[in-house]
Amino acid sequence: MKEKVVLAYSGGLDTTAIIPWLKETFGYEVICCCVDCGQGNELDGLDERAKMSGASKLYIENIIDEFCDDYIMPCVQAGAVYEHKYLLGTSMARPVIAKKLVEIARKEGAVAICHGATGKGNDQIRFELSIKALAPDLKVIAPWRMTDVWTMQSREDEIAFCKKHGIDLPFAADSSYSRDRNLWHIRHEGLELEDPSREPNYDHVLVLTTPPEKAPDEGEYVTMTFETGVPKTLNGREMKVSEIITELNTLGGKHGIGIIDIVENRVVGMKSRGVYETPGGTILMAAHEQLEELVLDRETMETKKKLGSQMAQVVYEGKWFTPLREAIQAFVTSTQQCVTGEVKFKLFKGNIIKAGTTSPYSLYNESLASFTTGDLYDHHDASGFITLFGLPLKVRAMKMMEVKNETK
């Protein structure tokens, strides 16, 4: 009986070519697994293509709700943003995909998992760290790093290889953008984006989002409610998190929300330039932050901001299944107990404009915040506070004056 390998299958040219290559090079029985994180119509026709290419079986696993509830929301609650811009769309998806690949490998009794990530990118790290954490006994096959046996170096090579093996596919050899899509975002790389000096051709790049200058000339108000940090309703309708993100993608895309052009630092040490569309995610994170600033005290917010930045680093580097991520998430979860309330905002030409926030746990006190004197605040108390708060500054200044006078 042949040994089995589970292939992370997207249906694209790379992973399609890998199927006959695995059979020919190692003699494996190839089990394809496509994990649906919200790729939409990219999944159409996969079963026929996988079988035609030589796979013995194809699993299409829908994990959209798990992705939203257990991976996206912890990052939203943490305010996890990599290098101030990137909302971790690909980074969050890789560990849940790897988890499903391991489940299928166990079910099928496979000895290895294969992925089509390149040797220059972050995804190889995210997949393989997750697999090591969940199934250290399984082998990992990464064809693009195996240059002694994987000799294909271009789309033309892969198409020729497939034709040689009787696989006729509707893939063109001409170049196009490299894209990664799930419910949270679309990432675009390649073509003019490889040159940071060039402006993106947004008319060709964008899939989800209207460029802000072409968005409607009238803004649109949106109302959301949260319970313990989780979105519950959108414009008065109760929905699952996945449904809310889907609807926000439509609204945000219409109004030009969530387009970023970033040169980011990859884990492997190089810089890469890409354009990300995250319309719904950008709105959701902004709405959550809008509510948090009303209900969290200053020190908690400051600590949470630091840990949110660290959470982004951890997730970006593929370290989801680690004690550190669990510990950061535990802290963040504890901060969400009072993140309950309603936020209202307006979407207008790429902007998210606040239009009011309410919460039963609001720490905003009008009596304290206004210029009038209330029962909780005596202006005279500020004098003593400033004296003590500024004491280190005063002592240092006195010492510097003393030293200066002694040296004259």
Side-chain angles (χ1 to χ4, degrees):
M1 182 180 293
K2 291 182 178 180
E3 291 185 323
K4 297 179 180 179
V5 60
V6 172
L7 170 64
Y9 186 64
S10 68
L13 180 56
D14 288 347
T15 54
T16 299
I18 286 174
I19 296 173
W21 178 84
L22 283 169
K23 296 175 68 177
E24 183 177 277
T25 306
F26 300 105
Y28 283 130
E29 177 186 346
V30 181
I31 311 293
C32 287
C33 180
C34 177
V35 182
D36 182 4
C37 298
Q39 295 94 304
N41 58 13
E42 291 182 10
L43 305 182
D44 294 346
L46 286 196
D47 188 65
E48 180 182 350
R49 186 177 303 164
K51 299 286 179 60
M52 177 181 64
S53 304
S56 64
K57 191 181 297 186
L58 170 67
Y59 287 87
I60 297 180
E61 300 290 305
N62 186 325
I63 50 87
I64 293 174
D65 285 329
E66 181 183 0
F67 177 43
C68 292
D69 297 340
D70 299 339
Y71 293 80
I72 289 177
M73 282 314 303
C75 291
V76 171
Q77 292 174 345
V81 179
Y82 182 70
E83 295 188 339
H84 310 295
K85 288 185 177 182
Y86 172 43
L87 302 188
L88 301 172
T90 302
S91 310
M92 294 185 296
R94 295 316 185 223
V96 69
I97 292 172
K99 179 171 175 279
K100 184 55 66 174
L101 292 172
V102 168
E103 289 177 11
I104 299 301
R106 295 302 193 207
K107 179 179 178 179
E108 289 287 341
V111 299
I113 292 174
C114 178
H115 64 77
T118 72
K120 287 186 175 182
N122 295 316
D123 283 344
Q124 57 180 339
I125 300 169
R126 295 165 183 156
F127 280 133
E128 294 184 37
L129 262 59
S130 296
I131 294 167
K132 287 178 187 296
L134 298 173
D137 57 304
L138 290 179
K139 292 186 290 187
V140 175
I141 299 173
W144 283 100
R145 299 204 305 261
M146 304 170 70
T147 54
D148 54 334
V149 287
W150 176 269
T151 57
M152 291 171 276
Q153 298 297 316
S154 66
R155 291 178 65 86
E156 289 87 353
D157 289 345
E158 290 176 316
I159 291 171
F161 179 80
C162 288
K163 285 185 176 180
K164 178 182 174 183
H165 289 78
I167 306 168
D168 191 17
L169 297 171
F171 296 122
D174 58 332
S175 297
S176 60
Y177 295 108
S178 172
R179 290 186 166 101
D180 176 77
R181 180 172 186 170
N182 58 47
L183 190 68
W184 187 248
H185 85 157
I186 297 182
R187 178 194 68 198
H188 311 272
E189 294 178 344
L191 299 186
E192 81 277 2
L193 303 180
E194 292 186 344
D195 183 354
S197 70
R198 295 181 62 185
E199 180 182 8
N201 185 346
Y202 285 121
D203 287 336
H204 291 166
V205 173
L206 299 179
V207 174
L208 291 174
T209 318
T210 302
E213 63 268 24
K214 296 182 179 180
D217 292 330
E218 285 191 19
E220 184 170 355
Y221 285 96
V222 178
T223 302
M224 294 180 64
T225 63
F226 289 80
E227 292 179 15
T228 59
V230 179
K232 293 297 181 181
T233 68
L234 177 62
N235 290 333
R237 291 186 295 132
E238 187 171 344
M239 292 184 273
K240 298 188 298 184
V241 174
S242 60
E243 293 169 337
I244 288 175
I245 293 172
T246 300
E247 184 66 22
L248 289 177
N249 276 334
T250 300
L251 291 168
K254 174 183 175 182
H255 291 281
I257 307 294
I259 304 167
I260 68 162
D261 177 358
I262 182 174
V263 176
E264 69 191 69
N265 290 293
R266 286 183 178 173
V267 183
V268 293
M270 69 182 71
K271 290 184 180 290
S272 67
R273 195 268 189 102
V275 167
Y276 293 88
E277 295 179 76
T278 320
T282 300
I283 297 170
L284 179 55
M285 292 197 80
H288 181 266
E289 182 179 355
Q290 182 175 329
L291 180 57
E292 271 197 333
E293 67 183 24
L294 193 69
V295 301
L296 295 185
D297 63 274
R298 187 179 71 160
E299 289 185 329
T300 299
M301 286 191 70
E302 288 178 351
T303 302
K304 186 173 172 293
K305 184 178 293 185
K306 295 173 186 175
L307 287 176
S309 178
Q310 190 170 11
M311 176 83 160
Q313 190 84 19
V314 167
V315 175
Y316 187 83
E317 293 177 354
K319 298 175 181 176
W320 185 275
F321 298 107
T322 60
L324 178 57
R325 193 275 305 166
E326 292 173 1
I328 295 173
Q329 188 172 327
F331 168 82
V332 171
T333 298
S334 74
T335 68
Q336 299 301 294
Q337 300 310 304
C338 294
V339 185
T340 295
E342 181 180 277
V343 296
K344 187 177 180 181
F345 46 89
K346 181 169 68 173
L347 307 178
F348 180 66
K349 290 190 178 293
N351 296 291
I352 304 169
I353 304 166
K354 293 180 184 177
T357 317
T358 60
S359 170
Y361 301 103
S362 172
L363 299 182
Y364 181 88
N365 186 300
E366 188 172 354
S367 175
L368 283 171
S370 68
F371 287 101
T372 59
T373 301
D375 296 335
L376 291 174
Y377 194 93
D378 187 332
H379 287 274
H380 296 93
D381 293 340
S383 297
F385 168 75
I386 294 170
T387 297
L388 296 178
F389 195 64
L391 187 59
L393 298 175
K394 184 174 182 178
V395 170
R396 182 181 184 279
M398 292 171 63
K399 176 56 66 175
M400 296 301 291
M401 289 179 64
E402 179 183 320
V403 171
K404 184 177 180 180
N405 290 333
E406 288 176 353
T407 55
K408 283 184 177 179

